[in-house]
Amino acid sequence: LLKKSMYTISPSERSQLKKIVGSYFDLLNLYNLVKSRLLHRLTIEETLAYMLPFTEKFNLSELAGLCHVPNLQQLSSAIEPTLNEKFDSYETFHKALYRYHKQYLLSVWNGYPFSIAIPFSLLRLIEMEVSDIRAITEGVAFGLEKKEILSMTAGD
């Protein structure tokens, strides 16, 4: 029913929803790649089993190619053209991915207030803000330094 209802939405709104969902799946797939392949050293086949289809920029064949990178720095070089920035640690990787995803979330706002993609974008942006607020609150509660607290947030 959900798939059938998607065809009743105008093509421009479907495109906007695909952008949001696709960039979110890109974000999840790259996290899975780093976690499964680089941290847990799973095989390429095992890693690809956790990948989600319907991505915005990184399709499964590109992700299979990225599974061959041995470390985070080479992954950074490989995906820099898409993310438009480099990263050298998990912290900067996390921030780069969220900036990439946020860019897509904000790109659908040109249809305000009539686009169906806006509520989904807004909910995701709020979810990201709540995550940052939670990280700040926990950091302050545990008496962490400002630098450590900032490393726990995804926002700028």
Side-chain angles (χ1 to χ4, degrees), residues 93-140:
F93 168 71
H94 177 72
K95 290 181 184 287
L97 278 184
Y98 270 86
R99 277 191 287 272
Y100 161 78
H101 182 52
K102 190 174 181 180
Q103 171 190 353
Y104 278 93
L105 291 172
L106 294 174
S107 72
V108 302
W109 281 81
N110 61 356
Y112 181 80
F114 303 108
S115 174
I116 194 169
I118 301 237
F120 295 106
S121 173
L122 181 62
L123 287 174
R124 183 68 183 128
L125 288 167
I126 290 171
E127 180 185 7
M128 291 166 66
E129 280 297 314
V130 167
S131 176
D132 281 352
I133 291 169
R134 186 179 301 130
I136 292 167
T137 304
E138 290 172 359
V140 170

Side-chain angles (χ1 to χ4, degrees), residues 40-59:
H40 298 296
R41 301 290 183 203
L42 296 179
T43 66
I44 293 172
E45 294 77 21
E46 291 171 322
T47 302
L48 289 176
Y50 294 106
M51 298 299 171
L52 300 165
F54 313 115
T55 60
E56 179 65 22
K57 293 286 184 182
F58 300 99
N59 61 38

Side-chain angles (χ1 to χ4, degrees), residues 27-86:
L27 179 122
L28 292 178
N29 284 341
L30 289 171
Y31 273 130
N32 284 336
L33 177 88
V34 168
K35 183 178 85 177
S36 301
R37 189 76 180 123
L38 298 180
L39 295 178
H40 298 296
R41 301 290 183 203
L42 296 179
T43 66
I44 293 172
E45 294 77 21
E46 291 171 322
T47 302
L48 289 176
Y50 294 106
M51 298 299 171
L52 300 165
F54 313 115
T55 60
E56 179 65 22
K57 293 286 184 182
F58 300 99
N59 61 38
L60 289 179
S61 62
E62 290 172 328
L63 290 168
L66 292 173
C67 283
H68 293 286
V69 299
N71 56 43
L72 205 56
Q73 286 74 24
Q74 288 186 2
L75 179 65
S76 174
S77 297
I79 65 175
E80 179 187 6
T82 304
L83 297 184
N84 294 323
E85 62 182 292
K86 290 183 88 90

